[in-house]
Amino acid sequence: MKEAKLHLLLPPLGILLLGTGVLLLAHRLTADLLLLPWLAAVIVGAFFTQFILGRRDGTDLTLFPAAMLLASLGLIMIGRLKPALFLTQMRWLLLGLIVYLVLVFLGERFLRLLSYPYLLGVFCLLLLCSALFFGTEIGGSRNWIVFGPFAVQPSEFGKIVIIMFLAAYLTEHREVLTLPRHRLLWLKLPVLRFIAPLLLIWGIAILMFVVQRDLGSALLFFGIAVSMTYMATGRKSYVALAFTFFLGAAALSYSFFSHVRVRFNIWLDPWSDPSGSAYQVVQSLFALGSGGVWGAGFAHGHPNLIPEVHTDFIFAAIAEELGLLGSLGVMLVFALFFYRAIRIALACREETRILLAAGIAVVFLLQAFIIIAGVTKFLPLTGITLPFVSYGGSSMIASFMLLGILTVLSKKENRHG
């Protein structure tokens, strides 16, 4: 057992307490009798979690405090932007902590699922297709399934399953995938049945874009599949095939579907309709510009002019009120996630676990990149969440599940030496 490094939680929990205090003094939050018990539960839960991690030999002790830093910042921004949702998001955060601890305790028993790649593949298909057939349109995307007062986003949990499936499948068939037998133009490819699962994933990504109007999830799933395939095989042919497939599908989608054309036209020229379909993007750009280097100051900006600012555009709110420095701080935390996850991957003994940790590293960095690029107009607006920061129970729980798997992989028993 080593030191739990509880002091690493002081900055994130300090931000949470200080931000909550400012919101209470500014009367943006009401001193509800339920607020303080839930806040105390989150603080106690965070320290307890870090203490438990310290008792596990070799477990990474920096990832959880980094996640709490992002979650605390997101929580106070939600309290500032949508006070009515502050307590709800705090409950989701506490539930995320519980799910994280359960995964850490399950450990190897959970990782046994890697022995059943085809079962994981079928489960992933069921998750993603559930939104295609039973989804409800919320915020312009049909990627939610509504159960009474609750709405679940299957794609958030689908990305966990797809990473596990690809890690197991690519490891099992790595030799076949790296020794192609057929030539298609300039590409060298293996037997079709071995790349069929990859083609299926790419096809589902395109369907998510066209049918569900969910560009963010489509890019995310596509990026996960391409990057993990390349990491497993080292062959550029798969990357070239994937991008040819994606560009062809994107061109056909642009030609045949009007909502796809609208999305791309907004990206190319948002100023052609600044008060209509491009309103969110234009207001986001104004927020980024007015923030400057130092920002307008917490609770002193006007990010509420952006619709759905607490979900898709929370990074724009951070940039306006905390400035360039705050924005860079958020991006550096995601870079830290990627760095630590890659180190965990390189230290793992089994190839399946190497790919699993590397896939989680990619998903955190890629998801952050996609949403930040959409907010800054580097890419078309995507509509996915910023992990740990944006409002949403599905996103919060899925992010802590990925973090839990990464924590299990960081244990000494899984590493060389």
Side-chain angles (χ1 to χ4, degrees), residues 8 16 19 42 60 75 83 130 140 233-235 239 252 257 275 351 367 385 406:
L8 294 178
L16 178 58
V42 168
D60 189 290
L75 193 56
S130 63
T233 64
R235 299 197 64 85
V239 179
L252 290 174
F257 299 98
S275 300
E351 188 174 345
Q367 187 166 342
T385 58
L406 202 55

Side-chain angles (χ1 to χ4, degrees), residues 189-236:
L189 302 173
V191 178
L192 179 61
R193 66 187 179 92
F194 291 112
I195 62 169
L198 304 178
L199 295 174
L200 184 60
I201 292 170
W202 299 344
I204 289 175
I206 299 301
L207 279 176
M208 293 174 75
F209 179 32
V210 173
V211 179
Q212 296 179 235
R213 305 185 182 186
D214 189 1
L215 175 59
S217 295
L219 286 175
L220 184 62
F221 279 83
F222 186 81
I224 291 170
V226 173
S227 58
M228 290 188 69
T229 303
Y230 179 71
M231 286 188 290
T233 64
R235 299 197 64 85
K236 297 177 183 178

Side-chain angles (χ1 to χ4, degrees), residues 96-118:
L97 293 180
I98 295 171
V99 170
Y100 174 71
L101 276 176
V102 168
L103 270 178
V104 170
F105 279 119
L106 285 175
E108 291 298 318
R109 283 170 288 182
F110 181 80
L111 292 181
R112 287 175 194 163
L113 291 172
L114 294 171
S115 302
Y116 307 97
Y118 295 101

Side-chain angles (χ1 to χ4, degrees), residues 139-399:
S141 296
R142 192 183 170 202
N143 57 354
W144 299 85
I145 296 180
V146 178
F147 300 97
F150 298 102
V152 179
Q153 196 170 5
S155 59
E156 286 289 345
F157 302 99
K159 68 187 179 187
I160 302 172
V161 184
I162 201 171
I163 292 170
M164 296 180 69
F165 163 71
L166 286 172
Y169 181 83
L170 292 171
T171 301
E172 185 176 322
H173 298 92
R174 187 176 67 85
E175 291 186 8
V176 177
L177 292 169
T178 52
L179 295 173
R181 298 182 181 179
H182 302 291
R183 180 180 289 273
L184 178 64
L185 300 177
W186 70 93
L187 302 176
K188 295 179 179 179
L189 302 173
V191 178
L192 179 61
R193 66 187 179 92
F194 291 112
I195 62 169
L198 304 178
L199 295 174
L200 184 60
I201 292 170
W202 299 344
I204 289 175
I206 299 301
L207 279 176
M208 293 174 75
F209 179 32
V210 173
V211 179
Q212 296 179 235
R213 305 185 182 186
D214 189 1
L215 175 59
S217 295
L219 286 175
L220 184 62
F221 279 83
F222 186 81
I224 291 170
V226 173
S227 58
M228 290 188 69
T229 303
Y230 179 71
M231 286 188 290
T233 64
R235 299 197 64 85
K236 297 177 183 178
S237 297
Y238 294 116
V239 179
L241 177 64
F243 279 100
T244 302
F245 180 91
F246 186 81
L247 290 175
L252 290 174
S253 300
Y254 185 87
S255 300
F256 291 104
F257 299 98
S258 59
H259 66 271
V260 175
R261 287 195 295 274
V262 170
R263 182 69 65 90
F264 275 90
N265 290 337
I266 290 172
W267 172 53
L268 293 173
D269 185 16
W271 307 106
S272 62
D273 190 16
S275 300
S277 57
Y279 181 77
Q280 284 184 306
V281 176
V282 169
Q283 290 300 322
S284 173
L285 295 175
F286 280 138
L288 291 166
S290 62
V293 176
W294 305 103
F298 181 60
H300 285 83
H302 300 90
N304 281 316
L305 294 174
I306 309 172
E308 304 302 320
V309 65
H310 59 298
T311 54
D312 302 351
F313 286 88
I314 198 165
F315 184 80
I318 293 171
E320 180 176 356
E321 300 204 335
L322 304 182
L324 177 64
L325 295 180
S327 305
L328 287 176
V330 171
M331 290 188 281
L332 283 173
V333 175
F334 282 110
L336 173 65
F337 264 102
F338 182 77
Y339 169 72
R340 297 299 301 180
I342 289 297
R343 286 199 59 175
I344 291 170
L346 294 175
C348 286
R349 290 181 295 184
E350 298 178 20
E351 188 174 345
T352 307
R353 301 188 180 203
I354 293 172
L355 269 180
L356 180 59
I360 295 173
V362 167
V363 77
F364 274 124
L365 191 66
L366 185 59
Q367 187 166 342
F369 170 75
I370 289 172
I371 188 60
I372 293 172
V375 169
T376 57
K377 211 182 82 64
F378 184 76
L379 290 176
L381 184 62
T382 54
I384 58 174
T385 58
L386 190 60
F388 299 108
V389 182
S390 296
Y391 174 78
S394 298
S395 175
M396 183 68 74
I397 294 172
S399 297

Side-chain angles (χ1 to χ4, degrees), residues 4-14 16-17 37-55 60-72 75 90 93-101 104 400 403:
K5 296 184 179 179
L6 295 177
H7 63 277
L8 294 178
L9 286 173
L10 296 180
L13 296 181
L16 178 58
L17 287 172
W38 281 103
L39 183 61
V42 168
I43 293 171
V44 171
F47 277 116
F48 176 75
T49 300
Q50 186 73 356
F51 174 76
I52 292 297
L53 295 179
R55 297 178 64 86
D60 189 290
L61 297 178
T62 60
L63 286 171
F64 177 69
M68 283 303 301
L69 181 63
L70 292 172
S72 297
L75 193 56
M90 193 177 291
L93 173 56
L94 190 59
L95 183 57
L97 293 180
I98 295 171
V99 170
Y100 174 71
L101 276 176
V104 170
F400 271 109
L403 186 67

